[in-house]
């Protein structure tokens, strides 16, 4: 049922615009990515800050999760979760109680069911904000990196992720992808995206970044980061480069532990800094910190999120960045290892942070910051400095003029045919053919019509796509093949392997979707068993291209990398395998030999075509 804008909504929007005009806080002219910061704007914003209570100022620093599809009428299960974790019933109560400056959306928090619901939630949250005494709109954020990290799913357009775009190597495709993503988020009332990932992935064992990075070459990553910043901010949202000072060389996941980066200062300058420098040159709106220790940058070995030498000394003073600095989630173990949840937000602010993202206990964090200000540990002027940066960004995004979105515009922007076609074409240009020793590809329907698709079926990043084997089989069927899907999982047992071998009998070829293969992986045992049938086996690495190291030389007929298992990338891989598109992607990271990691099997830039 189409949403009708109520008279109350129109009156509230009009009141917000009137209030903005009365205070002189108006959005920047021109595009939303134009810089609005000037003396007159700052004077107006400082007047708003002067009218805030200390509680309201502190609240502006927090960006918090909240459960529910509605700002005022969530499901009972979400009310219960909010009461348990936050002490409020709804998003509207969260805003009125803590005066938060931002809210972050997650699929698992039931914030992102469908486009019209998301827009309604966003509008409801902004209504709650404007009902407060200071009437300051909120920044609404999410992690819409695309690829393997995606909170808003279909029918929104899903696009290739960072490493896939790195394989495509096109700044125009990368910028276009970010523009599409940004335009669709803006239509949903989401105005701050925690992307792009500016980490340079030089460690194949990196458990948390990997294909979220554009690649391993700092300059190439820098170019694509800048392209995404320009694309996203050109579409009217705030982009966020992450994770400063660089999370690309770690074997520890900062969600579960505290990684230590052993780079020297010179190595950091060469490897990690270039993408962040490029983002700053591109006038990035916000930068996210990393919960990592870099002793060469801060000998106290505090995590970067809590490090004044890193955030103020390097990011602010050396790199000259004066935009918004947001922490990575304060619920992650990496930032909680050394200090308690009451000290973490205080230390982050002292280090130079502006936004405190998703603390595990908002009441503890909020009261700790209030106490630190009242006790003199943090000066109120320091808090106002961060609030000013946050309000500048809200001004730039036009939120003081009108923070609401029109639900009538959603169907004209979100998931439209032009965006979907662009996503398909971009994905085709990222698919990488790593090996085809017998020139099997492209498959012909005349000689290899009967296909079996087996392999891993990891969960959909957005909860709206897949499963991968079914998606691949469906794509081949649409291309005129007779394809059957059989999910064997990431750890197939002997019975499942035997089932796959039996299903391969009488087939013309088998397509195997692999997911993070290791030397001892049962997936490799599955591939070996399928190769032994004599039926040609085509492997598609649906996450890390490093799988190729464990497949090369084992009789596999062809190996491709798709860099993610979302439908757009899998459909592109099917078109490449079927010869409906040429493989154009090249490796943005090296693939080392499985038996000798010191030697490179496939170098950066490797990629076959036909």
């Amino acid at each position: 049922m189409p949403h009708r804008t109520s008279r109350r909504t129109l009156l509230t929007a009009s009141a917000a615009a009137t209030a903005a005009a009365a205070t002189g806080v108006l959005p920047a002219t021109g595009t939303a990515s134009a810089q609005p910061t000037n003396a007159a704007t700052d004077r107006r914003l400082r007047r708003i800050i002067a009218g805030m209570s200390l509680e309201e100022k502190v609240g502006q620093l927090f960006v918090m999760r909240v459960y529910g599809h509605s700002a005022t009428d969530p499901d009972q299960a979400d009310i219960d979760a909010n009461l348990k974790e936050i002490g409020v019933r709804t998003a509207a109560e969260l805003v009125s109680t803590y005066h938060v400056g931002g809210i972050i959306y997650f699929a698992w928090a039931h914030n992102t069911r469908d486009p019209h619901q998301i827009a309604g939630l966003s509008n409801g949250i902004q209504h709650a904000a404007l009902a407060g005494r200071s009437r300051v709109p909120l920044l609404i954020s999410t992690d819409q990196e695309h690829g393997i990290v995606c909170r808003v799913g279909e029918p929104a357009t899903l696009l290739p992720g960072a490493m896939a775009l790195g394989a495509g190597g096109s700044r125009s495709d990368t910028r276009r992808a970010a523009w599409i993503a940004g335009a669709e988020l803006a239509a949903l009332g989401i105005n701050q995206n925690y992307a792009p990932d500016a980490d340079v992935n030089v460690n194949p064992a990196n458990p948390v970044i990997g294909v979220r990075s554009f690649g391993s070459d700092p300059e190439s990553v820098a170019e694509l980061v800048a392209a995404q910043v320009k694309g996203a901010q050109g579409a009217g949202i705030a982009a966020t480069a992450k994770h400063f000072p660089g999370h690309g060389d770690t074997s520890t996941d900062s969600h579960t532990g505290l990684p230590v980066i052993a780079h020297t200062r010179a190595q950091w300058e060469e490897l990690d800094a270039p993408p962040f420098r490029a983002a700053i040159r591109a006038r990035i709106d916000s930068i996210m910190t990393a919960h990592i220790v870099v002793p060469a940058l801060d000998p106290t070995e505090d995590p970067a999120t809590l490090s004044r030498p890193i955030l103020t000394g390097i990011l602010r003073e050396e790199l000259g960045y004066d935009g918004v600095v947001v922490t990575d989630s304060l619920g992650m173990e990496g930032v909680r290892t050394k200090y308690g949840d009451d000290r973490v937000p205080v230390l982050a602010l002292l280090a130079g942070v502006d936004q405190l993202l998703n603390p595990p206990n908002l009441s503890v964090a909020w009261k700790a910051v209030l106490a630190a200000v009242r006790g003199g540990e943090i000066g109120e002027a320091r808090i106002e400095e961060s609030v000013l940066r946050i309000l500048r960004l809200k001004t730039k995004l036009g939120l003081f003029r009108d923070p609401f979105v029109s639900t009538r515009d959603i169907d004209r922007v979100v998931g439209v045919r032009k965006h979907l076609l662009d996503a398909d074409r971009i994905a085709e240009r990222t698919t990488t053919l790593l090996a085809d020793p017998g020139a099997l590809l492209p498959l012909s329907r005349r000689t290899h019509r009967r296909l079996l698709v087996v392999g891993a079926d990891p969960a959909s990043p957005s909860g709206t796509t897949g499963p991968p084997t079914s998606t691949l089989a469906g794509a081949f069927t649409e291309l005129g093949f007779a394809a059957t899907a059989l999910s064997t999982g990431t750890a197939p047992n002997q019975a499942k392997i035997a089932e796959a071998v039996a299903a391969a009998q009488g087939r013309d070829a088998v397509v195997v979707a692999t997911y993070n293969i290791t030397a001892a992986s049962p997936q490799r045992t599955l591939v070996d068993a399928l190769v032994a049938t004599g039926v040609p086996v085509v492997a598609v690495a649906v996450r890390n291209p490093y799988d190729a190291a464990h497949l090369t030389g084992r009789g596999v007929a062809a190996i491709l990398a798709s860099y993610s298992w979302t439908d757009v990338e899998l459909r592109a891989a099917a078109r490449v395998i079927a010869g409906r598109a040429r493989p154009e992607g090249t490796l943005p990271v090296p693939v080392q030999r499985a038996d000798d990691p010191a030697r490179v099997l496939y170098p950066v830039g490797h990629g076959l075509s036909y």
Side-chain angles (χ1 to χ4, degrees), residues 33 145 159-162 165-166 168-183 193 195-198 214 218-241 274-285 426:
S33 60
E145 297 177 20
L159 295 139
L165 293 169
S170 167
R171 281 176 288 182
S172 60
D173 279 354
T174 301
R175 184 168 181 166
R176 176 63 179 167
W179 188 93
I180 291 171
N193 190 16
D197 193 304
F214 290 106
E219 296 306 321
S220 297
V221 172
E223 287 185 354
L224 298 184
V225 164
Q228 288 233 304
V229 171
K230 293 172 183 176
Q233 293 184 182
I237 67 167
T240 308
F276 292 100
R277 291 184 186 276
I280 293 169
R281 286 194 299 270
R283 302 165 87 176
I284 185 80
D285 283 326
I426 291 170

Side-chain angles (χ1 to χ4, degrees), residues 335-359:
V335 78
R336 304 173 74 190
T337 298
K338 194 171 179 180
Y339 301 99
D341 292 339
D342 59 335
R343 292 300 297 160
V344 165
V346 173
L347 295 173
L349 292 170
L350 290 171
V353 159
D354 300 306
Q355 288 185 304
L356 301 163
L357 176 62
N358 204 24

Side-chain angles (χ1 to χ4, degrees), residues 139-202:
L139 286 168
I140 298 175
S141 60
T142 198
D143 293 282
Q144 192 78 347
E145 297 177 20
H146 287 278
I148 72 167
V149 176
C150 197
R151 311 304 189 202
V152 179
E154 293 180 342
T157 305
L158 298 180
L159 295 139
M163 191 170 285
L165 293 169
S170 167
R171 281 176 288 182
S172 60
D173 279 354
T174 301
R175 184 168 181 166
R176 176 63 179 167
W179 188 93
I180 291 171
E184 296 198 6
L185 290 178
L188 304 177
I190 299 172
N191 40 56
Q192 184 177 19
N193 190 16
Y194 297 138
D197 193 304
D199 302 310
V200 180
N201 200 76
V202 295

Side-chain angles (χ1 to χ4, degrees), residues 140-446:
I140 298 175
S141 60
T142 198
D143 293 282
Q144 192 78 347
E145 297 177 20
H146 287 278
I148 72 167
V149 176
C150 197
R151 311 304 189 202
V152 179
E154 293 180 342
T157 305
L158 298 180
L159 295 139
M163 191 170 285
L165 293 169
S170 167
R171 281 176 288 182
S172 60
D173 279 354
T174 301
R175 184 168 181 166
R176 176 63 179 167
W179 188 93
I180 291 171
E184 296 198 6
L185 290 178
L188 304 177
I190 299 172
N191 40 56
Q192 184 177 19
N193 190 16
Y194 297 138
D197 193 304
D199 302 310
V200 180
N201 200 76
V202 295
N203 187 341
N206 194 321
V208 65
I209 304 302
V211 293
R212 297 168 64 192
S213 164
F214 290 106
S216 63
D217 177 69
E219 296 306 321
S220 297
V221 172
E223 287 185 354
L224 298 184
V225 164
Q228 288 233 304
V229 171
K230 293 172 183 176
Q233 293 184 182
I237 67 167
T240 308
K242 59 187 187 185
H243 307 80
F244 188 83
H247 208 318
D249 189 8
T250 173
S251 56
T252 300
D253 185 342
S254 52
H255 290 85
T256 57
L258 179 57
V260 177
I261 308 295
H263 291 180
T264 65
R265 176 61 192 248
Q267 288 173 323
W268 178 81
E269 291 280 1
E270 179 183 357
L271 293 172
D272 302 294
F276 292 100
R277 291 184 186 276
I280 293 169
R281 286 194 299 270
R283 302 165 87 176
I284 185 80
D285 283 326
S286 53
I287 291 178
M288 179 178 285
T289 68
H291 305 325
I292 58 174
V293 168
V294 189
L297 304 184
D298 182 355
T300 69
E301 300 194 6
D302 276 345
T305 297
L306 311 180
S307 169
R308 185 169 179 82
I310 291 175
L311 298 187
T312 296
I314 296 176
L315 181 57
R316 296 284 192 207
E317 296 172 357
E318 292 185 25
L319 301 188
Y321 179 66
D322 193 37
V324 171
V325 174
V326 56
T327 70
D328 205 343
S329 171
L330 297 183
M332 293 166 60
E333 193 61 30
V335 78
R336 304 173 74 190
T337 298
K338 194 171 179 180
Y339 301 99
D341 292 339
D342 59 335
R343 292 300 297 160
V344 165
V346 173
L347 295 173
L349 292 170
L350 290 171
V353 159
D354 300 306
Q355 288 185 304
L356 301 163
L357 176 62
N358 204 24
N361 188 316
L362 178 58
S363 177
V364 167
W366 191 71
K367 289 176 181 177
V369 175
L370 281 173
V373 177
R374 288 172 176 154
E377 184 178 10
I378 302 177
E380 191 163 353
R382 167 66 190 89
I383 298 297
E384 292 177 351
E385 175 188 325
S386 286
V387 175
L388 178 60
R389 289 195 186 99
I390 294 165
L391 296 191
R392 282 173 180 164
L393 180 53
K394 292 179 179 183
T395 301
K396 173 184 174 181
L397 296 172
L399 297 178
F400 280 100
R401 179 189 62 189
D402 182 4
F404 302 105
V405 291
S406 168
T407 55
R408 292 189 300 272
D409 292 339
I410 292 172
D411 296 331
R412 294 197 290 265
V413 177
V414 179
V416 295
R417 179 173 173 78
K418 171 61 175 169
H419 292 178
L420 296 174
L421 289 173
D422 283 351
D424 282 339
R425 299 291 84 78
I426 291 170
E428 287 177 355
R429 292 189 283 270
T430 70
T431 305
T432 307
L433 177 59
L434 299 175
D436 186 16
L440 173 70
L441 300 186
L443 294 182
S444 167
R445 285 177 297 172
R446 293 189 298 274

